[in-house]
Amino acid sequence: MQRKISIMISSVNKGLEAERDALKDAFSKFEFVELIGSAPFNNTALSGSSAYSTIQMAKQCDIYLLILSNIFGCEIIGGQSATEAEFDAAIKDDPTKIMVFKKDVSDPIEPKQQAFIDKVSNYYSGYFRPSFKYSHQL
């Protein structure tokens, strides 16, 4: 049996449900793709902590899709968001597996989230990040 390509969808869970669903719908057509990330495991009992599990997923996935919005999300030890910790794990593993998308929203961007967006978008060490307004544009 051939190994599936694992794609991690990383974002805050609240507020980007439609975007996560759009990506799930798009990739569910392919038998050779396995989607991973926190959303599929929200209702699952795992033996490791959420932080450990999602960081391991970010390290081990083949493709890491980061969706940014105006919300910073769950802050963990060290002041990072859970999403930022996942991003850092993915970039340390393989910086070429990362794709970034930024949702255009009318609400103000939280200051810590703006710092994360700036880090992800840095000209020298960051990524191109196409913007979108509606989930179907992903």
Side-chain angles (χ1 to χ4, degrees), residues 28-74:
S28 67
K29 299 170 187 158
F30 304 104
E31 292 179 14
F32 58 89
V33 171
E34 174 187 24
L35 292 177
I36 60 174
S38 68
F41 297 104
N42 284 343
N43 298 316
T44 305
L46 295 175
S47 60
S49 71
S50 300
Y52 175 80
S53 297
T54 59
I55 288 171
Q56 287 304 112
M57 288 177 209
K59 288 178 183 177
Q60 296 170 357
C61 67
D62 297 305
I63 299 171
Y64 176 86
L65 299 178
L66 174 62
I67 308 171
L68 299 166
S69 70
N70 61 318
I71 300 169
F72 185 66
C74 175

Short mmCIF file of all heavy atoms in Angstrom, two decimals, residues 28-74:
data_model
loop_
_atom_site.label_atom_id
_atom_site.label_comp_id
_atom_site.label_asym_id
_atom_site.label_seq_id
_atom_site.Cartn_x
_atom_site.Cartn_y
_atom_site.Cartn_z
N SER A 28 -10.52 16.15 -0.02
CA SER A 28 -11.19 14.86 0.23
C SER A 28 -11.40 14.07 -1.06
O SER A 28 -11.65 12.87 -1.02
CB SER A 28 -12.52 15.07 0.94
OG SER A 28 -13.44 15.73 0.09
N LYS A 29 -11.28 14.72 -2.19
CA LYS A 29 -11.46 14.06 -3.49
C LYS A 29 -10.28 13.15 -3.84
O LYS A 29 -10.38 12.33 -4.75
CB LYS A 29 -11.63 15.11 -4.58
CG LYS A 29 -12.82 16.00 -4.38
CD LYS A 29 -12.81 17.16 -5.35
CE LYS A 29 -13.94 18.12 -4.97
NZ LYS A 29 -13.73 19.45 -5.46
N PHE A 30 -9.20 13.30 -3.13
CA PHE A 30 -7.97 12.57 -3.45
C PHE A 30 -7.72 11.49 -2.42
O PHE A 30 -7.47 11.78 -1.25
CB PHE A 30 -6.78 13.54 -3.53
CG PHE A 30 -6.99 14.66 -4.51
CD1 PHE A 30 -7.31 15.93 -4.06
CD2 PHE A 30 -6.89 14.42 -5.87
CE1 PHE A 30 -7.51 16.97 -4.96
CE2 PHE A 30 -7.10 15.46 -6.78
CZ PHE A 30 -7.41 16.73 -6.32
N GLU A 31 -7.73 10.25 -2.86
CA GLU A 31 -7.50 9.12 -1.95
C GLU A 31 -6.10 9.10 -1.37
O GLU A 31 -5.88 8.51 -0.33
CB GLU A 31 -7.76 7.81 -2.69
CG GLU A 31 -9.21 7.59 -3.07
CD GLU A 31 -9.41 6.29 -3.83
OE1 GLU A 31 -8.49 5.43 -3.83
OE2 GLU A 31 -10.48 6.13 -4.42
N PHE A 32 -5.17 9.73 -2.05
CA PHE A 32 -3.77 9.69 -1.62
C PHE A 32 -3.42 10.81 -0.64
O PHE A 32 -2.26 10.99 -0.28
CB PHE A 32 -2.83 9.75 -2.83
CG PHE A 32 -3.04 10.97 -3.70
CD1 PHE A 32 -2.36 12.15 -3.45
CD2 PHE A 32 -3.92 10.92 -4.78
CE1 PHE A 32 -2.55 13.27 -4.25
CE2 PHE A 32 -4.12 12.03 -5.59
CZ PHE A 32 -3.43 13.21 -5.33
N VAL A 33 -4.43 11.57 -0.19
CA VAL A 33 -4.21 12.68 0.74
C VAL A 33 -4.84 12.36 2.09
O VAL A 33 -5.98 11.90 2.16
CB VAL A 33 -4.79 14.00 0.19
CG1 VAL A 33 -4.77 15.10 1.24
CG2 VAL A 33 -4.04 14.44 -1.05
N GLU A 34 -4.09 12.63 3.14
CA GLU A 34 -4.59 12.53 4.51
C GLU A 34 -4.48 13.91 5.15
O GLU A 34 -3.39 14.48 5.22
CB GLU A 34 -3.77 11.53 5.31
CG GLU A 34 -4.15 11.47 6.77
CD GLU A 34 -3.21 10.61 7.61
OE1 GLU A 34 -2.04 10.42 7.20
OE2 GLU A 34 -3.64 10.17 8.66
N LEU A 35 -5.60 14.46 5.59
CA LEU A 35 -5.59 15.75 6.28
C LEU A 35 -5.37 15.55 7.76
O LEU A 35 -6.00 14.68 8.37
CB LEU A 35 -6.90 16.50 6.04
CG LEU A 35 -7.15 16.97 4.62
CD1 LEU A 35 -8.51 17.64 4.52
CD2 LEU A 35 -6.07 17.93 4.17
N ILE A 36 -4.49 16.37 8.32
CA ILE A 36 -4.22 16.30 9.76
C ILE A 36 -4.26 17.72 10.32
O ILE A 36 -4.24 18.70 9.58
CB ILE A 36 -2.86 15.62 10.06
CG1 ILE A 36 -1.70 16.38 9.41
CG2 ILE A 36 -2.88 14.17 9.61
CD1 ILE A 36 -0.34 15.86 9.79
N GLY A 37 -4.30 17.82 11.61
CA GLY A 37 -4.35 19.11 12.30
C GLY A 37 -5.25 19.01 13.50
O GLY A 37 -5.83 17.96 13.77
N SER A 38 -5.41 20.09 14.23
CA SER A 38 -6.19 20.03 15.47
C SER A 38 -7.66 19.79 15.22
O SER A 38 -8.32 19.09 15.99
CB SER A 38 -6.00 21.31 16.27
OG SER A 38 -6.59 22.41 15.61
N ALA A 39 -8.23 20.33 14.14
CA ALA A 39 -9.68 20.22 13.93
C ALA A 39 -10.16 18.77 13.84
O ALA A 39 -11.17 18.44 14.44
CB ALA A 39 -10.10 21.02 12.71
N PRO A 40 -9.48 17.88 13.13
CA PRO A 40 -9.99 16.51 13.10
C PRO A 40 -9.93 15.82 14.46
O PRO A 40 -10.59 14.83 14.69
CB PRO A 40 -9.09 15.79 12.10
CG PRO A 40 -8.45 16.86 11.30
CD PRO A 40 -8.38 18.06 12.21
N PHE A 41 -9.12 16.33 15.37
CA PHE A 41 -8.91 15.66 16.64
C PHE A 41 -9.62 16.32 17.81
O PHE A 41 -9.45 15.92 18.95
CB PHE A 41 -7.40 15.56 16.93
CG PHE A 41 -6.68 14.73 15.91
CD1 PHE A 41 -5.92 15.33 14.94
CD2 PHE A 41 -6.82 13.36 15.90
CE1 PHE A 41 -5.27 14.56 13.97
CE2 PHE A 41 -6.19 12.58 14.95
CZ PHE A 41 -5.41 13.19 13.98
N ASN A 42 -10.41 17.34 17.56
CA ASN A 42 -11.12 18.02 18.63
C ASN A 42 -12.00 17.08 19.44
O ASN A 42 -12.20 17.28 20.62
CB ASN A 42 -11.98 19.17 18.09
CG ASN A 42 -11.14 20.38 17.73
OD1 ASN A 42 -10.01 20.50 18.14
ND2 ASN A 42 -11.71 21.26 16.94
N ASN A 43 -12.55 16.07 18.79
CA ASN A 43 -13.45 15.14 19.46
C ASN A 43 -12.84 13.76 19.62
O ASN A 43 -13.54 12.76 19.67
CB ASN A 43 -14.78 15.05 18.68
CG ASN A 43 -15.47 16.38 18.62
OD1 ASN A 43 -15.55 17.08 19.62
ND2 ASN A 43 -15.97 16.75 17.45
N THR A 44 -11.51 13.71 19.67
CA THR A 44 -10.80 12.44 19.76
C THR A 44 -9.90 12.46 20.99
O THR A 44 -9.28 13.47 21.29
CB THR A 44 -9.92 12.23 18.51
OG1 THR A 44 -10.75 12.34 17.35
CG2 THR A 44 -9.25 10.89 18.52
N ALA A 45 -9.81 11.35 21.66
CA ALA A 45 -8.90 11.22 22.80
C ALA A 45 -7.55 10.73 22.28
O ALA A 45 -7.48 9.70 21.61
CB ALA A 45 -9.46 10.25 23.83
N LEU A 46 -6.51 11.50 22.55
CA LEU A 46 -5.15 11.10 22.16
C LEU A 46 -4.32 10.96 23.44
O LEU A 46 -4.59 11.61 24.43
CB LEU A 46 -4.52 12.14 21.24
CG LEU A 46 -5.16 12.33 19.87
CD1 LEU A 46 -4.50 13.49 19.13
CD2 LEU A 46 -5.04 11.06 19.05
N SER A 47 -3.28 10.15 23.37
CA SER A 47 -2.47 9.91 24.56
C SER A 47 -1.55 11.08 24.90
O SER A 47 -1.11 11.19 26.02
CB SER A 47 -1.66 8.63 24.40
OG SER A 47 -0.80 8.74 23.28
N GLY A 48 -1.25 11.94 23.95
CA GLY A 48 -0.37 13.08 24.21
C GLY A 48 -1.16 14.35 24.37
O GLY A 48 -2.36 14.42 24.05
N SER A 49 -0.51 15.39 24.85
CA SER A 49 -1.18 16.69 24.99
C SER A 49 -1.48 17.26 23.61
O SER A 49 -0.87 16.87 22.61
CB SER A 49 -0.28 17.66 25.76
OG SER A 49 0.82 18.05 24.95
N SER A 50 -2.41 18.19 23.57
CA SER A 50 -2.73 18.85 22.30
C SER A 50 -1.51 19.53 21.72
O SER A 50 -1.25 19.44 20.52
CB SER A 50 -3.84 19.89 22.51
OG SER A 50 -4.99 19.28 23.01
N ALA A 51 -0.75 20.22 22.58
CA ALA A 51 0.44 20.93 22.12
C ALA A 51 1.45 19.95 21.51
O ALA A 51 1.95 20.17 20.41
CB ALA A 51 1.07 21.70 23.26
N TYR A 52 1.73 18.88 22.21
CA TYR A 52 2.68 17.89 21.71
C TYR A 52 2.19 17.29 20.40
O TYR A 52 2.95 17.16 19.44
CB TYR A 52 2.92 16.79 22.75
CG TYR A 52 3.80 15.68 22.23
CD1 TYR A 52 5.18 15.82 22.20
CD2 TYR A 52 3.25 14.50 21.74
CE1 TYR A 52 5.99 14.82 21.70
CE2 TYR A 52 4.05 13.49 21.23
CZ TYR A 52 5.41 13.66 21.22
OH TYR A 52 6.22 12.66 20.71
N SER A 53 0.92 16.90 20.36
CA SER A 53 0.37 16.23 19.19
C SER A 53 0.41 17.10 17.94
O SER A 53 0.84 16.65 16.88
CB SER A 53 -1.07 15.80 19.46
OG SER A 53 -1.11 14.85 20.51
N THR A 54 -0.03 18.37 18.05
CA THR A 54 -0.05 19.21 16.86
C THR A 54 1.35 19.63 16.42
O THR A 54 1.61 19.77 15.22
CB THR A 54 -0.94 20.45 17.05
OG1 THR A 54 -0.48 21.23 18.15
CG2 THR A 54 -2.40 20.05 17.25
N ILE A 55 2.25 19.80 17.36
CA ILE A 55 3.64 20.12 16.98
C ILE A 55 4.28 18.93 16.27
O ILE A 55 4.99 19.09 15.27
CB ILE A 55 4.45 20.60 18.20
CG1 ILE A 55 3.97 22.01 18.59
CG2 ILE A 55 5.95 20.59 17.92
CD1 ILE A 55 4.51 22.54 19.89
N GLN A 56 3.99 17.72 16.73
CA GLN A 56 4.49 16.52 16.04
C GLN A 56 3.91 16.44 14.63
O GLN A 56 4.61 16.10 13.68
CB GLN A 56 4.17 15.26 16.84
CG GLN A 56 5.01 15.10 18.09
CD GLN A 56 6.49 15.13 17.80
OE1 GLN A 56 7.20 16.06 18.17
NE2 GLN A 56 6.99 14.14 17.11
N MET A 57 2.63 16.76 14.50
CA MET A 57 2.00 16.75 13.18
C MET A 57 2.69 17.75 12.25
O MET A 57 2.94 17.45 11.07
CB MET A 57 0.52 17.12 13.28
CG MET A 57 -0.35 16.07 13.89
SD MET A 57 -2.04 16.69 14.01
CE MET A 57 -2.63 15.79 15.42
N ALA A 58 2.99 18.94 12.77
CA ALA A 58 3.66 19.97 11.96
C ALA A 58 5.04 19.51 11.51
O ALA A 58 5.46 19.81 10.39
CB ALA A 58 3.74 21.27 12.75
N LYS A 59 5.74 18.79 12.36
CA LYS A 59 7.06 18.28 12.00
C LYS A 59 6.97 17.17 10.97
O LYS A 59 7.79 17.09 10.06
CB LYS A 59 7.77 17.72 13.24
CG LYS A 59 8.23 18.74 14.23
CD LYS A 59 8.87 18.04 15.43
CE LYS A 59 9.29 19.01 16.50
NZ LYS A 59 9.84 18.30 17.68
N GLN A 60 5.97 16.32 11.10
CA GLN A 60 5.92 15.10 10.30
C GLN A 60 5.12 15.22 9.01
O GLN A 60 5.23 14.35 8.14
CB GLN A 60 5.36 13.97 11.16
CG GLN A 60 6.26 13.64 12.32
CD GLN A 60 5.63 12.69 13.33
OE1 GLN A 60 4.48 12.29 13.20
NE2 GLN A 60 6.39 12.34 14.35
N CYS A 61 4.33 16.27 8.85
CA CYS A 61 3.49 16.38 7.65
C CYS A 61 4.35 16.62 6.41
O CYS A 61 5.49 17.09 6.48
CB CYS A 61 2.46 17.49 7.81
SG CYS A 61 3.14 19.16 7.87
N ASP A 62 3.77 16.28 5.27
CA ASP A 62 4.44 16.52 3.99
C ASP A 62 4.22 17.95 3.50
O ASP A 62 5.10 18.54 2.89
CB ASP A 62 3.92 15.54 2.93
CG ASP A 62 4.22 14.10 3.30
OD1 ASP A 62 5.40 13.79 3.52
OD2 ASP A 62 3.27 13.30 3.37
N ILE A 63 3.02 18.47 3.75
CA ILE A 63 2.67 19.84 3.36
C ILE A 63 2.01 20.50 4.56
O ILE A 63 1.13 19.91 5.19
CB ILE A 63 1.71 19.86 2.14
CG1 ILE A 63 2.39 19.20 0.93
CG2 ILE A 63 1.28 21.28 1.81
CD1 ILE A 63 1.46 18.96 -0.25
N TYR A 64 2.42 21.73 4.84
CA TYR A 64 1.88 22.49 5.97
C TYR A 64 1.18 23.73 5.41
O TYR A 64 1.83 24.59 4.81
CB TYR A 64 3.03 22.89 6.91
CG TYR A 64 2.63 23.76 8.06
CD1 TYR A 64 2.15 23.22 9.24
CD2 TYR A 64 2.73 25.14 7.97
CE1 TYR A 64 1.79 24.02 10.31
CE2 TYR A 64 2.37 25.96 9.03
CZ TYR A 64 1.90 25.39 10.19
OH TYR A 64 1.54 26.20 11.24
N LEU A 65 -0.15 23.78 5.56
CA LEU A 65 -0.93 24.92 5.09
C LEU A 65 -1.28 25.80 6.28
O LEU A 65 -2.00 25.37 7.19
CB LEU A 65 -2.22 24.45 4.41
CG LEU A 65 -2.06 23.58 3.17
CD1 LEU A 65 -3.43 23.16 2.65
CD2 LEU A 65 -1.28 24.30 2.10
N LEU A 66 -0.80 27.02 6.27
CA LEU A 66 -1.07 27.98 7.33
C LEU A 66 -2.08 28.99 6.84
O LEU A 66 -1.90 29.61 5.80
CB LEU A 66 0.23 28.70 7.73
CG LEU A 66 0.11 29.84 8.74
CD1 LEU A 66 -0.44 29.35 10.07
CD2 LEU A 66 1.47 30.51 8.93
N ILE A 67 -3.16 29.14 7.60
CA ILE A 67 -4.17 30.15 7.29
C ILE A 67 -4.13 31.19 8.39
O ILE A 67 -4.35 30.87 9.57
CB ILE A 67 -5.59 29.54 7.21
CG1 ILE A 67 -5.61 28.34 6.27
CG2 ILE A 67 -6.58 30.60 6.75
CD1 ILE A 67 -6.91 27.57 6.32
N LEU A 68 -3.86 32.42 8.01
CA LEU A 68 -3.77 33.53 8.97
C LEU A 68 -5.03 34.38 8.91
O LEU A 68 -5.60 34.59 7.84
CB LEU A 68 -2.56 34.41 8.65
CG LEU A 68 -1.20 33.72 8.71
CD1 LEU A 68 -0.14 34.59 8.04
CD2 LEU A 68 -0.83 33.42 10.16
N SER A 69 -5.44 34.88 10.05
CA SER A 69 -6.55 35.82 10.13
C SER A 69 -6.14 36.95 11.06
O SER A 69 -4.95 37.15 11.30
CB SER A 69 -7.83 35.13 10.62
OG SER A 69 -7.71 34.78 11.99
N ASN A 70 -7.09 37.64 11.61
CA ASN A 70 -6.79 38.74 12.51
C ASN A 70 -6.65 38.29 13.96
O ASN A 70 -6.26 39.07 14.82
CB ASN A 70 -7.88 39.81 12.41
CG ASN A 70 -9.24 39.28 12.80
OD1 ASN A 70 -9.61 38.16 12.44
ND2 ASN A 70 -9.99 40.06 13.55
N ILE A 71 -6.95 37.03 14.25
CA ILE A 71 -6.99 36.52 15.62
C ILE A 71 -5.71 35.77 15.95
O ILE A 71 -5.27 34.90 15.20
CB ILE A 71 -8.21 35.61 15.81
CG1 ILE A 71 -9.50 36.39 15.52
CG2 ILE A 71 -8.24 35.01 17.20
CD1 ILE A 71 -10.73 35.53 15.41
N PHE A 72 -5.12 36.07 17.11
CA PHE A 72 -3.90 35.43 17.57
C PHE A 72 -4.16 34.01 18.03
O PHE A 72 -3.38 33.11 17.77
CB PHE A 72 -3.28 36.26 18.69
CG PHE A 72 -1.95 35.76 19.17
CD1 PHE A 72 -0.84 35.78 18.34
CD2 PHE A 72 -1.80 35.27 20.46
CE1 PHE A 72 0.40 35.32 18.79
CE2 PHE A 72 -0.57 34.82 20.92
CZ PHE A 72 0.52 34.84 20.08
N GLY A 73 -5.23 33.79 18.74
CA GLY A 73 -5.57 32.45 19.19
C GLY A 73 -5.01 32.10 20.54
O GLY A 73 -4.59 32.97 21.32
N CYS A 74 -4.98 30.83 20.81
CA CYS A 74 -4.58 30.28 22.10
C CYS A 74 -3.10 30.56 22.37
O CYS A 74 -2.23 30.14 21.60
CB CYS A 74 -4.85 28.79 22.11
SG CYS A 74 -4.28 27.94 23.57
#
